[in-house]
Amino acid sequence: FSWEVLEVSFQHLLPNFKECWWDHYLLDVFGCNLAGMLAGMWICRHYASKQFNWTGVKALPTTRAKMSRVLQQFTPFSWTSYSWKTLNSCKRLIQVVLMLAFVELCELNAFFLKHALWIPPPCHVNVARLILLWMLSFPAVREYYSYIDNPACNRIGSSLWLMMAIGSVET
């Protein structure tokens, strides 16, 4: 929902944000975004309790089972669940909202940089930048979670510092 508000707010500056009203609200908010959020929540709940089978490939009887096992090689050994406890206190709510606002700012930077520097969307520089930020966001969010959740942690990590520096310089 917040991204749709940003699109409506900045459509006078960024031409690719101009959409019909029904596309903003009906398709984006209640269509694709809602379906994506529900699917993501189902996947997270499913894998948080999944029992993994670590049988070797040679011991499996069928080719289909062997192919399935090979594809499972690329899934993580274990899943760590995080409880952000957003509504536990006013301080935690502000911390989570600030993180989400920073994420939205970094996403918005991608569009403004493309527009200001006249970079075409399929340009390899833009794609490489987005992939780099995407990969950097995993440890940065983990470090931020540790910083706000663990009282013994009194400093933020290097990935979070780097992500904050990139977001600040780009803005």
Side-chain angles (χ1 to χ4, degrees):
F1 177 74
S2 61
W3 182 252
E4 299 310 317
V5 171
L6 288 174
E7 276 188 335
V8 170
S9 301
F10 291 111
Q11 67 184 354
H12 66 285
L13 294 173
L14 299 170
N16 56 335
F17 279 10
K18 290 181 183 173
E19 298 175 340
C20 300
W21 68 268
W22 55 267
D23 183 37
H24 274 298
Y25 301 109
L26 297 179
L27 293 180
D28 291 345
V29 175
F30 299 113
C32 299
N33 291 351
L34 183 63
M37 286 187 292
L38 293 175
M41 289 187 327
W42 179 83
I43 288 170
C44 287
R45 268 192 246 113
H46 173 73
Y47 284 113
S49 62
K50 183 177 178 182
Q51 295 288 327
F52 292 98
N53 182 5
W54 298 102
T55 308
V57 175
K58 292 181 182 178
L60 298 172
T62 64
T63 306
R64 181 181 169 102
K66 289 178 182 178
M67 290 303 295
S68 175
R69 177 64 183 97
V70 167
L71 291 176
Q72 286 177 356
Q73 264 319 104
F74 300 104
T75 61
F77 177 72
S78 65
W79 294 88
T80 304
S81 63
Y82 298 102
S83 177
W84 286 86
K85 304 174 205 152
T86 307
L87 300 176
N88 274 7
S89 68
C90 185
K91 179 182 175 183
R92 178 56 67 98
L93 177 65
I94 291 170
Q95 290 169 333
V96 172
V97 167
L98 283 175
M99 182 198 65
L100 294 175
F102 187 76
V103 168
E104 294 290 343
L105 181 69
C106 288
E107 288 183 22
L108 194 60
N109 282 344
F111 289 95
F112 273 110
L113 286 173
K114 231 174 29 172
H115 178 70
L117 301 176
W118 300 334
I119 299 174
C123 180
H124 67 281
V125 173
N126 191 36
V127 173
R129 179 193 163 276
L130 290 173
I131 290 172
L132 177 69
L133 288 178
W134 174 68
M135 292 175 64
L136 181 61
S137 69
F138 292 120
V141 170
R142 174 65 178 108
E143 289 172 359
Y144 184 68
Y145 178 79
S146 294
Y147 178 70
I148 66 173
D149 195 57
N150 185 359
C153 181
N154 54 8
R155 294 189 305 173
I156 61 175
S158 57
S159 297
L160 182 55
W161 269 114
L162 183 59
M163 193 70 172
M164 289 169 52
I166 290 171
S168 300
V169 168
E170 286 181 348
T171 303

